[in-house]
Amino acid sequence: MNTRSKAFRRTAALLAASTLTTLLFAAAPFEAAFASSASTPPAVPSAAESAVLNDLTLEHPGFQENGTTYVPLKDISTFLDLQLLWNSGKSSLEVTGLYQAVSLKAGQPKAYTAAGKVIMLGAETLIRGGVTYVPDKLFSKAFGVPVVWKGDNRFAVPYAARYIKTSTGRELFWLNREQGVLYTGQSGRVPLRAGIIRVADLDWVSMSARRINSASYAVEIENASGEPHINNTRWRALVSDGSLVDQAKTHYRNPRMIGMKRDIFAFQGNVVMVDGQTLTLVNPDGHIFKTYDLLEITGINDAFAVEAVDTDFLLVRPFQKGTLILIDRRSGQSVQLYKQLLSADDQAWLEAYPDTEIDYPGDNLEYTGRSGDTLSFEWTSFTGGQKVHFTYTLSPLS
């Protein structure tokens, strides 16, 4: 094994911290400063929460002017589970929380709630040095969370952030870290409960969302947990008309994540949902189109990733062995592609390599497309790192 390529001497890919909406703030104009089954929203923070102050160090400092304490809005919003979005149609900034949403305009001393109520802030919203500042009264009056300025860029709030947040377009999402409750709604409106995603042990976690159509969205969650974070879990949740209509989870427990790609998203309008050993093609409204039992088809008792779906075949990869398998959707037959494409010596090299080692490479086969019945693959050699092109011809339907 001394000839192993350095390319395989890698540790498992670790997930980034929670994905947050990127918002750009510039001085002028104001726009550039911010480059279900329906249920009730969560309650305002309790009195018990308010008894504990959490110290925050923000990127930008606060300041006082004419008796008003100003707070950098973008900086503190992350810690208060708020999401910010510029509404170009109304030339206003929307600040949306789980139980309140308000809109602001630069130079105005007031905010408007989603219900049309006016909240007087005592001073106007300012933009200084490309940073948007709001009076501290905004947070106590609109969101029930008083903000204490402790000088320079130090603040304290009686609140601890407990949600992972993401957005796509004007649709916003919040996921409760502990309970898995998902809330969603449009920016500037109070979100509603969509349902519960069966998450657990969230640690190094990221979340993203994708719009499918005007009524449906897919939420993706990836998490690494445990020490040294070798438990890797992926969730995909389908939300339609504000309600959670389907979800799937795949868990991999091993430090080796080399070669494990994300599941493809959809094929011919059906969302790909992978629940460990089950592949389901689901309509955007949650109705099941087709289900495949990958354990039964392949005979491999493992969690799978689905790398391709086409009219007549699937490409799936079991986690532990990491070898690409072609499944004929017409006959239900499966084939290990490395046994069809690689030389006898390369097959023997792979099969002799313990698949429990952190740098076990899998088969290094990557699907690159098709032309008629011919599928193309790129392979990286095990010991020299050379790139080799292979083709595989689908069998005609008998």
Side-chain angles (χ1 to χ4, degrees):
M1 295 299 175
N2 293 330
T3 59
R4 288 180 237 160
S5 170
K6 291 183 180 179
F8 307 133
R9 297 284 189 185
R10 298 180 291 178
T11 56
L14 301 177
L15 296 175
S18 298
T19 303
L20 299 175
T21 305
T22 301
L23 296 163
L24 301 178
F25 291 69
F30 191 49
E31 175 179 1
F34 313 97
S36 55
S37 46
S39 180
T40 56
V44 176
S46 66
E49 286 181 312
S50 301
V52 179
L53 284 177
N54 290 306
D55 290 330
L56 309 176
T57 301
L58 306 183
E59 180 181 355
H60 298 96
F63 62 89
Q64 286 188 334
E65 185 173 288
N66 298 325
T68 296
T69 298
Y70 279 94
V71 182
L73 177 58
K74 178 187 174 185
D75 293 4
I76 204 165
S77 291
T78 295
F79 299 97
L80 301 182
D81 289 324
L82 304 175
Q83 299 203 55
L84 312 182
L85 195 67
W86 172 254
N87 187 325
S88 58
K90 296 182 178 180
S91 298
S92 62
L93 173 67
E94 295 166 342
V95 186
T96 308
L98 284 151
Y99 55 90
Q100 180 64 280
V102 300
S103 61
L104 305 164
K105 289 189 176 183
Q108 291 191 359
K110 54 190 174 182
Y112 294 89
T113 71
K117 178 183 177 182
V118 177
I119 299 177
M120 300 305 299
L121 305 178
E124 64 186 32
T125 294
L126 302 175
I127 298 176
R128 296 283 175 83
V131 178
T132 298
Y133 288 90
V134 294
D136 60 351
K137 290 182 180 179
L138 170 70
F139 304 102
S140 57
K141 285 190 171 185
F143 302 104
V145 182
V147 174
V148 178
W149 182 46
K150 303 179 74 173
D152 196 34
N153 64 341
R154 295 177 294 110
F155 294 82
V157 294
Y159 186 84
R162 59 182 64 83
Y163 290 86
I164 307 161
K165 307 182 295 294
T166 193
S167 65
T168 178
R170 292 188 53 78
E171 194 74 12
L172 310 180
F173 298 86
W174 290 258
L175 177 70
N176 186 288
R177 282 177 169 269
E178 298 298 327
Q179 300 169 353
V181 181
L182 180 70
Y183 295 89
T184 184
Q186 287 205 341
S187 175
R189 302 179 185 177
V190 178
L192 298 175
R193 173 178 168 141
I196 296 177
I197 301 177
R198 297 184 296 271
V199 296
D201 302 320
L202 297 185
D203 191 359
W204 292 1
V205 61
S206 65
M207 183 170 74
S208 61
R210 183 184 305 197
R211 183 179 184 269
I212 302 172
N213 56 37
S214 60
S216 300
Y217 297 84
V219 177
E220 309 266 4
I221 304 162
E222 296 193 31
N223 182 59
S225 62
E227 287 297 340
H229 289 82
I230 64 172
N231 293 286
N232 294 275
T233 310
R234 300 170 178 173
W235 292 267
R236 179 172 286 173
L238 184 58
V239 176
S240 182
D241 287 324
S243 296
L244 183 63
V245 295
D246 198 11
Q247 61 181 292
K249 166 189 171 183
T250 301
H251 177 73
Y252 311 102
R253 190 185 186 280
N254 194 298
R256 185 197 65 78
M257 289 293 286
I258 294 174
M260 292 304 293
K261 297 183 178 179
R262 291 177 174 86
D263 300 312
I264 66 163
F265 181 68
F267 176 69
Q268 291 186 339
N270 295 300
V271 180
V272 173
M273 306 290 285
V274 183
D275 203 34
Q277 299 175 341
T278 302
L279 161 63
T280 307
L281 301 178
V282 183
N283 297 151
D285 61 3
H287 288 87
I288 294 175
F289 172 73
K290 184 72 174 179
T291 299
Y292 297 90
D293 186 330
L294 301 180
L295 168 59
E296 180 180 348
I297 294 172
T298 66
I300 298 175
N301 186 13
D302 200 354
F304 287 81
V306 176
E307 297 188 10
V309 178
D310 213 324
T311 54
D312 45 3
F313 74 89
L314 309 171
L315 288 177
V316 303
R317 193 184 299 271
F319 170 69
Q320 193 63 45
K321 195 64 179 175
T323 52
L324 200 58
I325 298 173
L326 183 143
I327 297 173
D328 190 319
R329 293 182 65 181
R330 304 161 299 179
S331 66
Q333 300 299 308
S334 65
V335 59
Q336 293 264 14
L337 287 171
Y338 84 94
K339 294 183 178 181
Q340 304 295 316
L341 303 177
L342 303 189
S343 69
D345 287 344
D346 287 322
Q347 292 182 46
W349 187 97
L350 178 63
E351 291 166 355
Y353 203 129
D355 62 21
T356 55
E357 290 200 18
I358 194 171
D359 55 358
Y360 170 75
D363 61 19
N364 279 353
L365 283 169
E366 180 180 358
Y367 174 62
T368 57
R370 74 179 292 176
S371 176
D373 288 335
T374 301
L375 309 185
S376 294
F377 298 88
E378 185 178 83
W379 179 65
T380 305
S381 64
F382 294 126
T383 57
Q386 296 93 346
K387 299 291 186 181
V388 180
H389 178 73
F390 288 118
T391 60
Y392 179 86
T393 302
L394 296 170
S395 299
L397 183 62
S398 57

